[in-house]
Amino acid sequence: VMASMAHLQKEKLRLQEELLELQEKLTAQENNELSLSLQLQGQVETLKEKLLEQAQEISRLRSELGGTDAEKHRDLLAAENERLRQEMKACEGELRELRRQQQQAPCRDCPHLQENAGLQEQLSQLQREAEETRAKLVELDLEVQQKTNRLAEVELRLKDSLAERAEEEERLSRRLRDSQETIASLKSQPQQIKYIIKTVEVESPKAKQALCETQSRNQYLQEQVGMQKQVLKEMEQQLQSSQKTEAQLRAQIMMYEAELERAHGQMLEEMQAMEEEKNHAIEEAFSRAQVEMKAVHENLAGVRTNLLTLQPALRTLTHDYNSLKRQVRDFPLLLQETLRSARAEISQAIEEVHSTNRELLRKYRRELQLRKKCHNELVRLKGNIRVFGRVRPITKEDGEGPEAANAVTFDADDDAVLHLLHKGKQVSFELDKVFPPQASQEEVFQEVQALVTSCIDGYNVCIFAYGQTGAGKTYTMEGTAENPGINQRALQLLFSEVRGKAADWDYAITVSAAEIYNEALRDLLGKEPQEKLEIKLCPDGSGQLYVPGLTEFRVQSVEDINKVFEFGHVKRVTECTNLNEHSSRSHALLIVTVRGLDRSTGLRTTGKLNLVDLAGSERVGRSGAEGSRLREAQHINKSLSALGDVIYALRSRQGHVPFRNSKLTYLLQDSLSGDSKTLMMVQVSPAEKNTSETLCSLKFAERVRSVELGPVSRKAELGSWPSQEHLEVPKRLLGDSPGSAAPPGRGHASPSPGQLSSRSASIRRKLHTSG
Ligand code: ADP
Ligand code: MG
């Protein structure tokens, strides 16, 4: 429809253009006709005048002459004129018929739908325009008719005048004939006429003159007639040209009509095409609607069947719904019931859990006690006193050459055995464990860890570093900033352990630092480090010792410990010009006290961890030192001997332990006796030049360690070692050859006459077990 609309629009434009052209042509024609009619009018006017003149002339001539050829010609012209008029009338009739047809054109009662209304409107507009042009055409036709009427009138008049002229001519010709007859009759009587003429000539010059006049007049009249004939011819020519133009006009009219008819035909065709299109579209829509209807019907059928199947489901659903509703109504009651029973069950379960909890707690405490007992037993079986050896690596300080050669070797299979090459002989020693030079601080601490943790359980622990100066005592105890030793690692471990037990236990960790130099005890953290402290018995009669005035710092983190260490170091540095020298000549003690409170049981525990960096064990006295050096050496020797005595006495479980022989042993009395645990870390240098001191240190270590294992120790009556001889190994223990294949000092391997019987050994064990 859109396409056809566009086409129609185009057609309309084209028609409008054509109309405009037609109008232009019409106006041109009008102008033409107007000018023509004006011309014709002018000609008619002149013709009328001439006719009048001719009429007068003819009437005058007619009186003289009869009719002429012009009359015949006039008759012919009149007949032609009549025929033309009739043709014109027929044309007009046709034109009128055509117009009627035009007016009665279809598309008035167009049965088109509303969608064609716009098009129809356009069409009607076009028709209106066509009608307007038609009206104009009618007007033009009218004008043409008027003009033809006028022309007819003019022709009529012309005919009248021609008739008049014919009459005149007839009259004239009659007269002419008469006159000719008279002339002929006159001729037939020539003599007479000659005579007459002669006579006339003779007789009347007057008649002669009259004849001449008549002859000239006759000639003039004849000339006049010729002129009239010429005028008539011209008029006829004019008539022909006007007829020609009329024919042209008629042809044009016919052309326009044909064009109009064509346009009308096109319009009709288009309308028919549109009608067809519309019908086609309607048919299509109808078929589509039918298909859709079919689909909808099918859907409906499906839905109906669905509905049929759904109905029973709905019935069951409503049934379910009703039952659910009933259940919901009963639900609160049921819920209350269930809640009550559940509450009862829960409270019962809680009760049960509570009782089992109590039971478990009781069992746990019993197990805890048992564990502690077992641990103690284990430690006891391992020996409450343990001796480790640590060999430091060869350092730059050892120098170069044969003196710095390595003299210490290890057993690949036994980490407790160490071989020393001394003066060409290999001496073997067995300790609880030997750390080779490559052993890290971490590895060393791993072995010490258990001792440290037992401190939390309320045990007293002592860790000593023994050995000649430069053997690595301070390295093992304090370590370096980037690789800390036992001191810092132990405190870190304590902190983490305490944190782990924080749920049940409250712990307080305090730290003290002291130094024993020349048998004088000094507080390293106090305000007056020079002050000598005394060790006293507790006045509460518990038999416990304490040091009045010894500063204690409570520590809670590693940062606190670092501060304490720094403080202690600063004290030592400010006092001494040569720190190394001094430190190797004094015992440094770090005393950590761990006090715990079990919140659930109210049980209180106190454990003490004593970390001791002993003075150098080298034998100065023998090289003949004097003065203060000698005094220092004597003091060191005495205190180390006293320590050896005490440990020996403890390991051999003697009744009397000589704690009071030195300040060191006296201070550590409660940490060395009873359930206390002691570790002796014997430091040795592997360098060739130090072999004699190394030998001494290892001998000391082995002696200290061996005692308990050998039943001999029970009976051994070594009250104390002689002064300056604490490093000498008793001959009885070593046997005769220290370098023999069997490791020296292995009590069980070297039977002794003083060895107890197996019965007495079992008794001793029983006694130990019972406490
Ligand atoms: P002491 O305290 O017995 O006199 P030090 O601990 O001062 O001996 O050690 C002497 C030197 O040997 C120090 O420079 C120390 O760093 C180094 N040293 C000791 N033991 C080791 C070791 N296991 N590994 C590395 N270097 C060590
Ligand atoms: Mg040192």
Side-chain angles (χ1 to χ4, degrees):
V1 168
M2 287 292 278
S4 64
M5 277 259 287
H7 184 71
L8 272 175
Q9 201 82 22
K10 239 188 274 170
E11 194 63 30
K12 185 193 135 187
L13 279 171
R14 200 179 59 76
L15 279 170
Q16 275 175 342
E17 275 173 10
E18 276 177 17
L19 271 169
L20 273 172
E21 265 177 56
L22 280 172
Q23 277 171 349
E24 273 173 8
K25 278 180 189 170
L26 273 170
T27 46
Q29 215 178 318
E30 270 179 298
N31 288 340
N32 231 347
E33 280 180 18
L34 210 73
S35 63
L36 237 160
S37 63
L38 277 173
Q39 260 184 10
L40 279 173
Q41 268 181 342
Q43 280 175 358
V44 164
E45 216 69 34
T46 50
L47 273 175
K48 270 181 194 170
E49 277 172 25
K50 275 181 187 170
L51 268 175
L52 264 174
E53 273 174 35
Q54 274 183 356
Q56 282 170 2
E57 192 58 48
I58 282 165
S59 59
R60 203 176 48 80
L61 274 173
R62 221 170 248 166
S63 56
E64 290 170 24
L65 292 164
T68 52
D69 297 339
E71 277 174 308
K72 282 180 210 163
H73 203 87
R74 188 204 56 199
D75 287 341
L76 274 170
L77 275 176
E80 182 69 26
N81 227 354
E82 187 65 26
R83 196 179 54 81
L84 279 173
R85 212 174 290 145
Q86 271 169 1
E87 261 180 45
M88 209 166 133
K89 256 179 203 161
C91 275
E92 275 164 15
E94 275 175 31
L95 199 68
R96 238 169 278 134
E97 184 69 24
L98 271 172
R99 263 173 217 151
R100 232 194 344 273
Q101 276 177 5
Q102 207 80 31
Q103 277 166 358
Q104 282 169 356
C107 83
R108 225 178 309 162
D109 301 307
C110 214
H112 288 171
L113 291 175
Q114 281 187 346
E115 53 186 83
N116 287 342
L119 284 171
Q120 278 176 340
E121 230 169 86
Q122 282 181 350
L123 265 173
S124 62
Q125 205 180 328
L126 278 171
Q127 281 171 348
R128 266 203 299 281
E129 280 168 23
E131 266 167 38
E132 274 172 31
T133 47
R134 249 176 251 145
K136 272 181 196 167
L137 258 175
V138 169
E139 275 175 33
L140 280 172
D141 280 338
L142 272 172
E143 273 177 39
V144 167
Q145 207 164 0
Q146 279 174 2
K147 273 167 200 169
T148 45
N149 286 347
R150 244 179 284 157
L151 203 67
E153 272 175 37
V154 168
E155 277 170 1
L156 267 174
R157 251 178 278 160
L158 191 68
K159 214 168 72 178
D160 288 347
S161 66
L162 279 173
E164 276 173 33
R165 215 181 72 175
E167 274 174 36
E168 202 113 348
E169 272 174 9
E170 211 174 346
R171 241 184 297 146
L172 278 172
S173 59
R174 227 185 294 137
R175 260 175 63 185
L176 200 66
R177 230 182 291 132
D178 289 343
S179 52
Q180 276 170 344
E181 274 171 21
T182 47
I183 290 165
S185 65
L186 281 172
K187 267 178 186 172
S188 61
Q189 304 165 330
Q191 283 168 340
Q192 209 179 353
I193 292 168
K194 258 179 193 170
Y195 176 72
I196 292 168
I197 291 167
K198 270 176 190 169
T199 55
V200 166
E201 273 176 2
V202 177
E203 281 173 16
S204 110
K206 271 188 185 176
K208 267 184 194 174
Q209 207 183 338
L211 186 75
C212 263
E213 271 175 26
T214 358
Q215 272 174 342
S216 67
R217 227 183 129 189
N218 211 1
Q219 207 168 342
Y220 169 75
L221 274 171
Q222 268 171 342
E223 275 170 22
Q224 278 277 324
V225 166
M227 264 168 67
Q228 281 288 328
K229 273 179 189 169
Q230 255 181 357
V231 166
L232 192 76
K233 217 180 264 174
E234 273 172 24
M235 276 182 76
E236 272 170 4
Q237 273 172 358
Q238 275 182 359
L239 191 74
Q240 265 176 352
S241 73
S242 77
Q243 274 171 350
K244 226 182 268 174
T245 50
E246 195 201 335
Q248 275 178 359
L249 280 170
R250 210 171 283 147
Q252 270 184 349
I253 284 163
M254 249 142 81
M255 213 168 66
Y256 295 150
E257 273 166 1
E259 223 155 294
L260 262 169
E261 202 148 354
R262 200 168 49 77
H264 181 69
Q266 268 186 358
M267 221 158 68
L268 275 175
E269 268 174 32
E270 272 164 25
M271 263 159 71
Q272 203 167 347
M274 271 163 68
E275 187 97 0
E276 271 171 22
E277 247 173 60
K278 190 194 79 187
N279 285 343
H280 187 66
I282 285 166
E283 262 172 44
E284 248 178 40
F286 181 70
S287 60
R288 230 182 297 133
Q290 263 185 339
V291 170
E292 272 170 29
M293 265 295 271
K294 217 177 189 177
V296 165
H297 270 298
E298 277 167 17
N299 268 1
L300 194 71
V303 166
R304 237 176 236 153
T305 51
N306 271 358
L307 247 161
L308 280 175
T309 53
L310 275 174
Q311 263 168 354
L314 189 74
R315 227 169 288 135
T316 53
L317 267 177
T318 45
H319 182 74
D320 286 358
Y321 170 72
N322 284 332
S323 65
L324 273 173
K325 219 168 158 183
R326 233 171 291 128
Q327 277 183 12
V328 164
R329 216 181 300 125
D330 301 341
F331 185 70
L333 277 170
L334 213 80
L335 190 74
Q336 267 183 347
E337 194 75 18
T338 336
L339 271 176
R340 214 176 300 127
S341 66
R343 226 175 264 146
E345 269 176 39
I346 286 167
S347 57
Q348 202 186 330
I350 286 171
E351 200 78 17
E352 276 170 25
V353 165
H354 209 63
S355 63
T356 43
N357 245 2
R358 251 185 314 224
E359 181 69 12
L360 277 174
L361 201 69
R362 199 177 55 75
K363 278 183 185 165
Y364 163 72
R365 289 213 182 106
R366 216 176 57 206
E367 288 301 315
L368 209 69
Q369 296 274 325
L370 211 70
R371 191 192 70 87
K372 201 169 169 183
K373 232 167 157 182
C374 287
H375 182 74
N376 288 343
E377 190 65 12
L378 185 75
V379 171
R380 198 192 61 72
L381 282 174
K382 273 187 175 176
N384 264 354
I385 298 164
R386 312 193 68 200
V387 183
F388 290 171
R390 189 180 189 187
V391 183
R392 74 154 167 82
I394 292 194
T395 60
K396 277 185 210 153
E397 284 81 55
D398 291 326
E400 277 177 36
E403 284 215 317
N406 184 22
V408 178
T409 49
F410 304 90
D411 196 312
D413 303 319
D414 196 344
D415 66 351
V417 176
L418 176 150
H419 311 289
L420 176 71
L421 197 70
H422 179 56
K423 288 177 182 170
K425 282 186 208 165
Q426 182 164 315
V427 196
S428 295
F429 297 93
E430 187 181 317
L431 306 174
D432 290 312
K433 186 166 176 74
V434 175
F435 294 103
Q438 62 270 19
S440 65
Q441 299 280 62
E442 178 74 43
E443 283 171 51
V444 173
F445 185 71
Q446 289 252 307
E447 291 295 320
V448 181
Q449 212 169 322
L451 281 178
V452 177
T453 37
S454 67
C455 181
I456 295 168
D457 295 333
Y459 292 98
N460 292 338
V461 179
C462 278
I463 300 175
F464 296 102
Y466 178 96
Q468 74 174 112
T469 300
K473 297 185 295 296
T474 307
Y475 184 86
T476 295
M477 295 312 284
E478 287 177 19
T480 56
E482 54 283 358
N483 208 359
I486 291 167
N487 287 7
Q488 202 171 16
R489 285 172 199 270
L491 277 159
Q492 275 182 19
L493 182 66
L494 284 180
F495 286 133
S496 71
E497 289 282 312
V498 161
R499 261 202 303 279
K501 287 184 158 192
D504 308 307
W505 290 79
D506 286 330
Y507 281 104
I509 300 176
T510 55
V511 172
S512 299
E515 178 188 69
I516 297 168
Y517 177 66
N518 282 350
E519 285 303 285
L521 178 65
R522 298 191 302 147
D523 184 4
L524 284 179
L525 302 177
K527 282 175 189 142
E528 286 175 54
Q530 294 295 20
E531 191 187 351
K532 289 181 184 175
L533 298 176
E534 290 300 320
I535 303 161
K536 288 183 177 169
L537 262 168
C538 261
D540 58 2
S542 62
Q544 292 255 307
L545 291 168
Y546 84 107
V547 183
L550 183 64
T551 315
E552 264 187 68
F553 276 130
R554 177 147 189 202
V555 286
Q556 277 164 324
S557 66
V558 182
E559 286 79 60
D560 292 350
I561 309 161
N562 286 338
K563 267 183 223 159
V564 168
F565 287 166
E566 231 167 85
F567 194 63
H569 273 296
V570 168
K571 281 279 153 65
R572 288 180 97 178
V573 169
T574 48
E575 272 173 65
C576 312
T577 45
N578 188 340
L579 176 70
N580 242 342
E581 190 69 6
H582 177 82
S583 73
S584 66
R585 311 258 44 96
S586 65
H587 309 302
L589 292 100
L590 182 72
I591 304 158
V592 183
T593 315
V594 184
R595 295 185 180 88
L597 167 67
D598 186 348
R599 282 197 294 271
S600 59
T601 57
L603 187 77
R604 281 178 190 281
T605 60
T606 306
K608 242 191 218 174
L609 175 64
N610 300 280
L611 302 158
V612 189
D613 185 358
L614 292 169
S617 62
E618 60 271 15
R619 292 158 297 175
V620 185
R622 285 205 175 154
S623 57
E626 281 174 25
S628 65
R629 289 293 281 158
L630 184 64
R631 230 181 99 225
E632 275 178 1
Q634 282 169 346
H635 279 301
I636 291 162
N637 217 329
K638 190 184 155 208
S639 61
L640 289 178
S641 298
L643 181 65
D645 290 345
V646 164
I647 291 172
Y648 184 82
L650 284 168
R651 262 193 111 151
S652 56
R653 306 197 189 275
Q654 287 175 358
H656 176 70
V657 181
F659 289 115
R660 285 175 169 265
N661 281 0
S662 82
K663 270 260 158 58
L664 180 69
T665 49
Y666 190 40
L667 179 67
L668 297 176
Q669 182 174 349
D670 56 354
S671 297
L672 289 166
S673 56
D675 272 338
S676 303
K677 291 148 196 186
T678 303
L679 171 71
M680 182 69 77
M681 184 71 79
V682 178
Q683 297 283 148
V684 294
S685 157
E688 176 67 40
K689 61 175 179 186
N690 293 327
T691 43
S692 58
E693 283 299 332
T694 303
L695 188 71
C696 288
S697 293
L698 287 170
K699 277 178 182 171
F700 172 81
E702 200 167 48
R703 191 179 66 225
V704 164
R705 180 186 168 270
S706 65
V707 242
E708 198 192 22
L709 297 170
V712 176
S713 61
R714 192 86 178 96
K715 288 242 169 145
E717 285 170 9
L718 281 165
S720 76
W721 293 319
S723 163
Q724 293 287 324
E725 295 297 326
H726 70 99
L727 300 162
E728 300 295 315
V729 183
K731 291 234 161 51
R732 272 183 294 168
L733 296 175
L734 281 173
D736 288 330
S737 58
S740 64
R746 289 192 135 172
H748 59 273
S750 52
S752 151
Q755 194 174 0
L756 284 172
S757 67
S758 63
R759 195 184 160 196
S760 66
S762 77
I763 287 168
R764 184 172 61 78
R765 262 200 298 281
K766 273 182 201 162
L767 280 167
H768 274 283
T769 322
S770 62

